[in-house]
Amino acid sequence: VQLQASGGGLVQAGDSLRLSCVASRRTIREYHIGWFRQAPGKEREFVVGISRGGGNTEYTDSVKGRFTISRDNNKNTAYLQMNNLRPEDTAVYYCAADRAIMTAPIKRSPLEYQYWGQGTQVTVSS
């Protein structure tokens, strides 16, 4: 599968953005999808994940209540709605796919994801 992330930009604190992750070559419904981010000088960190059917989600604590992950398997796309953005959310955001079985847990380690999009920059000014 190939993944294409988009939707990043420069916003002010408190603003919203919606990132998209479009899959090609294979159907996205075969994969758990994760969003990760990497700020300059920091390791890539898990932000949020969604299971293949969309019934299960996982969020890192710092984004709970502000970010929402969703997916539309018919459109081969996953989304990350980010509200009330903060300067500390500034990073390159990556979507990733894990070819897991339906009942597998959503993984938080980037090493567990086999396919990655190219990243989209999110910059939040104070």
Side-chain angles (χ1 to χ4, degrees), residues 5-122:
S6 63
L10 171 62
V11 297
Q12 293 186 330
D15 286 350
S16 299
L17 280 174
R18 188 176 82 154
L19 307 184
S20 298
C21 176
V22 180
S24 60
R25 294 185 178 263
R26 295 189 72 93
T27 175
I28 201 173
R29 67 180 71 246
E30 297 178 358
Y31 303 89
H32 290 350
I33 298 297
W35 284 96
F36 293 77
R37 65 187 179 187
Q38 188 166 19
K42 294 188 176 182
E43 293 186 353
R44 191 167 299 189
E45 66 169 349
F46 174 84
V47 178
V48 61
I50 189 167
S51 60
R52 286 174 53 177
N56 293 316
T57 56
E58 291 278 342
Y59 292 85
T60 195
D61 287 346
S62 63
V63 307
K64 285 180 180 177
R66 300 188 299 123
F67 291 12
T68 303
I69 189 171
S70 62
R71 64 191 295 160
D72 185 339
N73 286 342
N74 292 326
K75 294 184 178 180
N76 241 19
T77 304
Y79 304 97
L80 178 59
Q81 178 67 42
M82 304 186 295
N83 297 331
N84 192 20
L85 282 160
R86 304 168 180 170
E88 53 264 39
D89 295 319
T90 295
V92 178
Y93 283 70
Y94 299 89
C95 61
D98 172 26
R99 192 164 187 181
I101 61 174
M102 287 287 283
T103 56
I106 297 165
K107 303 178 181 80
R108 292 176 175 249
S109 168
L111 299 177
E112 307 259 30
Y113 288 76
Q114 300 86 38
Y115 306 97
W116 290 83
Q118 84 289 2
T120 183
Q121 176 71 46
V122 173

